Amino acid sequence: MTENRFYALISRRMPTLVEFYATWCGPCREMQPILEDLERALRTRADVIRIDTDSPENSDLTRQHRIMSVPTFILYREGRALWRHSGMVSFETLSDIIKRYEKVEAL
């Protein structure tokens, strides 16, 4: 993903959940179906994007966002990081976090 595309997505009013992951990471692979379910459930209310930390094209994004372990999740809205978590997270927790921050009026 290009930096311009990344920053355009996270700058929108709609929340964007970013997962920084690696293909070799077992917990990251376990999160894949959870994120797919989340994306279907919140289709028009939030974006879910995945950034492969091992891809050379993503090395600047990985460094800029200080990703030290995978999976790392960051929820953005209007360009601001509102929530961050490293490690596995349940569907319910992710859904609740997104719902909480989509209702915040002005950031």
Side-chain angles (χ1 to χ4, degrees):
M1 172 170 298
T2 67
E3 282 188 53
N4 287 341
R5 174 91 172 113
F6 177 83
Y7 288 109
L9 284 171
I10 69 168
S11 295
R12 298 176 346 154
R13 181 158 171 72
M14 185 167 65
T16 301
L17 179 68
V18 179
E19 178 200 25
F20 289 89
Y21 76 100
T23 56
W24 51 262
C25 168
C28 299
R29 287 193 302 271
E30 288 183 49
M31 288 301 305
Q32 179 65 33
I34 293 169
L35 293 175
E36 290 170 357
D37 289 346
L38 185 71
E39 195 167 22
R40 278 190 295 276
L42 300 174
R43 180 180 352 209
T44 61
R45 296 176 18 223
D47 282 324
V48 177
I49 60 175
R50 301 182 79 220
I51 305 292
D52 183 354
T53 58
D54 288 337
S55 174
E57 69 183 16
N58 296 327
S59 62
D60 287 342
L61 285 174
T62 300
R63 188 174 38 261
Q64 289 168 12
H65 297 279
R66 298 182 180 129
I67 305 304
M68 304 304 243
S69 63
V70 289
T72 292
F73 299 92
I74 306 175
L75 180 69
Y76 294 93
R77 185 167 164 223
E78 297 178 7
R80 291 182 52 202
L82 302 173
W83 175 84
R84 183 179 178 124
H85 176 84
S86 292
M88 293 185 65
V89 186
S90 71
F91 172 91
E92 292 79 15
T93 298
L94 289 172
S95 181
D96 288 347
I97 293 291
I98 290 170
K99 287 176 184 174
R100 179 184 331 152
Y101 285 110
E102 79 178 338
K103 294 180 182 182
V104 174
E105 282 304 315
L107 296 177

